[in-house]
Amino acid sequence: MDDFLAARSQMALSLGFHIIFSCIGMVMPFFMAVSHYYYLKTNNPVYKNITKAWSKGVAIFFATGAVSGTVLSFELGLLWPEFMKHAGPIFGMPFSLEGTAFFIEAIALGFFLYGWDRFNRWFHWVTGVIVGISGLISGILVVAANAWMNSPTGFDYINGEYTNIDPIKAMFNDAWFSQALHMSVAAFVATGFAVAGVHALMILKGKNVPFHSKAFKIAAVFGTVAAILQPLSGDISAKDVAKRQPAKLAAMEAHFHTEKAAPLIIGGIPDEKTQTVKYALKIPGLLSFMAHNDFNAEVKGLDSTPPENHPPVAVTHYAFQVMVGLGMAMMGIALLYFLALWKRKRWLDSRWLLKLFVIATPMGFIAVEAGWTVTEVGRQPWIIHNVMRTADAVTPMPGIIYSFYLFTAVYVSLSIIVIFMLYRQIKMVGKLYDLPADPSQIKG
């Protein structure tokens, strides 16, 4: 492994871990706020216990997200100094604002965790809402910075110099809305299904059923609503990519040849040498419609881009297929769940429906990882699209491979610690919040 590949691998590893922590940190405070609201309105202690249990999870992921995010900020400067030298003054504003949102989130989380029976009940609830809002804003700002790398604007690039810098225009670039929308909805899908899956498993095991049933419903509603909305945000993103980054879209769909009435390719094994896709299901004209709202529109293939600027097709295509496939599976579960809420209420107590949520527990996060692979690998060979190549931005410092090994060990250790803490927290729920099976026995 050379230093360039090691640098890319280290960045991918760091992002791969951080994005999980970030998604949960962005979304779980909203679950917490909803259960807290129900407690304030009903005085049902089950909701108070759910709120306290989830707040501890929020605290765990806030801490791990802060650590992994800090590492990422250092890595940008250490691994990609040429990139930061030129890009820092342009897209530094969303990172600065993200830091502000992070501090607000930290203060609000401190108030919430230690504010029980110390603050006004509704003021205490508001601090929890602020944790969620500031966390969501923080995530959107980071995505805006990444969107700038896909749609660089807010500057003039003349003779190798970056001039006439406009940080506001850079932050609100052409890609920020579609990427921020898609990522935010994905975070709600992934976290909603993961949390619902854990509680569904506890229900199936017969542990603290009143507690886990109410927690399951809150998480499931968030996750399923987001899963139904996700294809809409995906459609907005796909049309945006087709317009700005046709080579990325071509790699996503393994679309080698420019043509009208382009088919949508489902599955398949792309062969870059022969420029064919084997064993794929092709739906005529659907890619043209999805990209341009016209079944006969022309869709640019990889043949319209110089070979040296082609993204890695196989990785991008497979990641895209995984993301879409898992997204459709979760949307199917979501439709079943809403059918149960609307017409088939007896399904809500069925074991098969709970088992579906248990199976879907990791799906959202796998889809998120696949989606970020599409975003980052599909932009290659550019670190700033059509402006700076990734190979030109890497540090000249030797020995990056040893840094990669070290950070791999750190993140694996961090993951083990987080899993242990969450496992202990789940077991503590069983001991601290053990409630009678008959809800009528619950006092307060």
Side-chain angles (χ1 to χ4, degrees):
M1 182 185 294
D2 59 24
D3 286 335
F4 176 55
L5 182 57
R8 289 188 63 190
S9 299
Q10 182 175 324
M11 202 71 193
L13 177 77
S14 302
L15 277 169
F17 278 95
H18 180 67
I19 196 170
I20 301 298
F21 303 147
S22 296
C23 285
I24 298 173
M26 287 166 58
V27 173
M28 271 203 72
F30 290 102
F31 299 180
M32 181 181 76
V34 169
S35 62
H36 193 189
Y37 175 81
Y38 283 146
Y39 168 63
L40 294 178
K41 295 295 288 185
T42 66
N43 283 325
N44 187 334
V46 177
Y47 288 116
K48 181 178 182 180
N49 293 336
I50 293 171
T51 304
K52 286 192 171 185
W54 278 348
S55 67
K56 292 176 181 178
V58 170
I60 290 171
F61 284 103
F62 177 83
T64 52
V67 172
S68 58
T70 301
V71 170
L72 272 172
S73 64
F74 281 112
E75 283 180 334
L76 281 172
L78 293 173
L79 298 178
W80 313 101
E82 193 65 22
F83 166 70
M84 290 303 295
K85 173 184 175 182
H86 299 290
I90 304 172
F91 81 149
M93 179 172 285
F95 280 125
S96 300
L97 294 175
E98 189 274 337
T100 302
F102 173 81
F103 284 121
I104 293 173
E105 182 182 4
I107 294 168
L109 181 60
F111 279 175
F112 187 83
L113 292 175
Y114 299 102
W116 289 98
D117 303 320
R118 291 182 175 87
F119 296 139
N120 173 275
R121 284 157 51 95
W122 288 102
F123 174 78
H124 184 219
W125 176 77
V126 168
T127 62
V129 174
I130 291 174
V131 173
I133 293 173
S134 56
L136 185 61
I137 291 173
S138 179
I140 290 173
L141 288 167
V142 172
V143 172
N146 179 267
W148 177 84
M149 298 164 68
N150 289 293
S151 179
T153 189
F155 66 96
D156 293 324
Y157 186 65
I158 303 172
N159 298 324
E161 297 291 331
Y162 298 79
T163 60
N164 301 324
I165 294 173
D166 185 345
I168 299 295
K169 188 176 180 181
M171 183 167 65
F172 295 107
N173 56 79
D174 292 340
W176 86 269
F177 175 76
S178 61
Q179 279 197 214
L181 176 65
H182 196 56
M183 185 63 230
S184 298
V185 177
F188 276 94
V189 175
T191 307
F193 271 88
V195 175
V198 170
H199 290 292
L201 180 62
M202 295 298 104
I203 296 170
L204 288 171
K205 290 184 176 182
K207 296 182 178 180
N208 302 334
V209 174
F211 175 95
H212 290 291
S213 295
K214 287 179 169 55
F216 167 80
K217 186 173 182 180
I218 294 171
V221 168
F222 270 104
T224 52
V225 170
I228 291 172
L229 295 176
Q230 185 70 318
L232 300 177
S233 71
D235 181 65
I236 294 172
S237 292
K239 286 179 169 57
D240 181 63
V241 169
K243 178 181 178 182
R244 294 182 300 96
Q245 295 175 293
K248 178 186 283 189
L249 179 69
M252 289 160 57
E253 290 290 342
H255 182 60
F256 290 101
H257 305 288
T258 300
E259 60 181 313
K260 294 183 178 180
L264 178 71
I265 296 177
I266 300 176
I269 302 174
D271 186 334
E272 295 185 58
K273 291 183 179 180
T274 61
Q275 297 191 347
T276 58
V277 184
K278 300 177 181 178
Y279 316 115
L281 173 64
K282 299 183 179 182
I283 304 177
L286 190 55
L287 180 59
S288 292
F289 178 77
M290 293 176 69
H292 303 293
N293 288 329
D294 183 351
F295 284 102
N296 294 310
E298 181 179 88
V299 179
K300 293 182 179 179
L302 285 168
D303 58 0
S304 65
T305 303
E308 65 272 17
N309 293 339
H310 284 187
V313 177
V315 174
T316 308
H317 177 69
Y318 294 144
F320 181 68
Q321 296 295 308
V322 168
M323 179 187 70
V324 173
L326 292 177
M328 295 302 292
M330 288 183 287
M331 186 178 72
I333 294 173
L335 292 173
L336 283 173
Y337 184 68
F338 280 109
L339 179 60
L341 288 174
W342 182 40
K343 287 286 189 180
R344 301 284 190 272
K345 293 191 181 296
R346 65 181 183 277
W347 289 2
L348 296 174
D349 298 321
S350 63
R351 294 181 66 83
W352 66 264
L353 184 61
L354 292 172
K355 287 179 180 179
L356 284 178
F357 276 94
V358 173
I359 293 170
T361 299
M363 284 185 182
F365 288 119
I366 296 173
V368 166
E369 297 285 10
W372 271 100
T373 300
V374 172
T375 299
E376 298 303 298
V377 176
R379 189 180 61 245
Q380 300 307 313
W382 306 101
I383 191 169
I384 305 175
H385 183 61
N386 285 340
V387 176
M388 178 184 289
R389 289 180 175 271
T390 309
D392 296 332
V394 71
T395 177
M397 182 181 70
I400 298 299
I401 188 170
Y402 301 109
S403 173
F404 169 61
Y405 292 150
L406 175 63
F407 275 83
T408 299
V410 169
Y411 276 109
V412 169
S413 301
L414 185 62
S415 298
I416 293 172
I417 293 170
V418 170
I419 292 171
F420 169 74
M421 293 177 69
L422 290 176
Y423 176 72
R424 188 179 67 173
Q425 177 61 26
I426 291 171
K427 289 188 68 175
M428 287 176 63
V429 167
K431 294 178 181 179
L432 297 178
Y433 308 136
D434 195 8
L435 298 171
D438 182 1
S440 64
Q441 298 178 33
I442 300 173
K443 297 180 181 180

